[in-house]
């Protein structure tokens, strides 16, 4: 379906890609951009415009990244205002890539809805999401939705490179959406620390002194790190998967970290 989009002459000005774990989403976005700026169909991958996209040197492309933070209205309004001015590139075609658009405040989404209500013919919106159910219906109704596919070759490469076993690979694929994010955490030792912490929580068994120490450590985690920790636990505790899924769903409501931690202590091995 997405490959057919690249061949269409009159492309939609607003698309949203639902990202799967270890997918080819970056290539999908790059292919879409090149299919618009290139004179060939779908693209030649050799002209100056394709080269600008490949080298990330296209000046009228703005990326708003909600992968590890909540996007506020002011950031999107700044993008909107910049798009009202003349472009830097000769083609004057502008792109906004909004990664993990579900991680935005209500005010930011409302601002974006106004921005996309009557898009200019030279502006294209490429949104991505890791949870399509969290994208509001109004936004989905204005965007053409596509789905990325898992890249099994990349998973094999990571497994062989880091000499990982099957359970470790399952944890990684469950926690990370691409090898770059995993390798950042692997090299900073965050991945290993979260795995160790997951096992410490499971072995705690409500021992007061130990649980108090772990509680302080847990409280210092970000909500994004807690989400990874829960996904690690969902692989280790397969028989408690539904309980962990409930905690993950509660995480969207930003409950207190102590409440989440107490629920984790109730999980048995």
């Amino acid at each position: 379906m997405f490959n057919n989009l690249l061949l269409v002459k009159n492309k939609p000005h607003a698309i949203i890609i639902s990202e799967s774990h270890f997918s080819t989403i970056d290539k999908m976005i790059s292919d879409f951009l090149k299919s618009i700026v290139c004179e060939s169909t779908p693209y030649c991958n050799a002209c100056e415009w394709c080269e600008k996209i490949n080298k990330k040197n296209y000046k009228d492309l703005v990326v708003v990244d909600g992968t590890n933070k909540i996007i506020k209205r002011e950031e999107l309004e700044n993008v909107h205002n910049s798009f009202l001015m003349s472009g830097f590139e000769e083609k004057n075609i502008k792109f906004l890539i909004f990664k993990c658009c579900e991680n935005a405040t209500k005010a930011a989404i409302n601002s974006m809805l106004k921005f996309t209500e009557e898009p200019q013919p030279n502006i294209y919106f490429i949104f991505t999401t890791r949870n399509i159910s969290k994208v509001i219906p109004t936004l989905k109704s204005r965007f053409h939705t596509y789905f990325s596919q898992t890249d099994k070759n990349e998973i094999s490469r990571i497994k062989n490179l880091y000499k990982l076993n099957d359970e470790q690979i399952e944890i990684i694929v469950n926690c990370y959406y691409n090898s770059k994010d995993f390798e950042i955490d692997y090299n900073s030792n965050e991945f290993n620390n979260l795995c160790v912490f997951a096992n410490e929580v499971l072995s705690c068994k409500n021992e007061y002194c130990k649980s108090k120490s772990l509680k302080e450590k847990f409280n210092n985690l970000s909500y994004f790190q807690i989400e990874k920790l829960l996904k690690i636990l969902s692989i280790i505790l397969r028989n408690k998967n539904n309980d962990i899924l409930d905690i993950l769903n509660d995480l969207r409501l930003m409950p207190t970290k102590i409440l989440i931690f107490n629920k984790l202590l109730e999980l048995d091995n």
Side-chain angles (χ1 to χ4, degrees), residues 159 162-172:
K159 182 178 182 179
Y162 294 99
K163 298 179 173 58
L164 303 170
N165 60 40
D166 289 342
E167 184 178 73
Q168 288 173 317
I169 278 293
E170 193 173 359
I171 289 173
I172 290 165

Side-chain angles (χ1 to χ4, degrees), residues 113-165:
L113 286 173
K114 293 178 182 178
F115 192 11
T116 60
E117 192 170 12
E118 295 181 2
Q120 299 298 314
N122 66 324
I123 298 177
Y124 291 85
F125 302 97
I126 303 99
F127 286 17
T128 74
T129 177
R130 292 177 175 177
N131 192 337
I132 194 71
S133 65
K134 288 177 65 177
V135 179
I136 63 172
T138 309
L139 193 63
K140 285 191 283 190
S141 68
R142 294 183 185 176
F143 283 62
H144 293 248
T145 303
Y146 299 90
F147 296 86
S148 65
Q149 302 297 318
T150 298
D151 187 350
K152 294 181 180 179
N153 291 331
E154 183 62 10
I155 294 174
S156 296
R157 184 187 74 84
I158 289 294
K159 182 178 182 179
N160 294 330
L161 179 64
Y162 294 99
K163 298 179 173 58
L164 303 170
N165 60 40

Side-chain angles (χ1 to χ4, degrees), residues 26 35 72 82 112 123 167 172 217 222 226 228 251:
D26 288 338
S35 73
K72 298 181 179 180
S82 70
M112 182 52 59
I123 298 177
E167 184 178 73
I172 290 165
K217 186 176 177 181
S222 70
I226 291 173
K228 291 177 191 173
L251 198 63

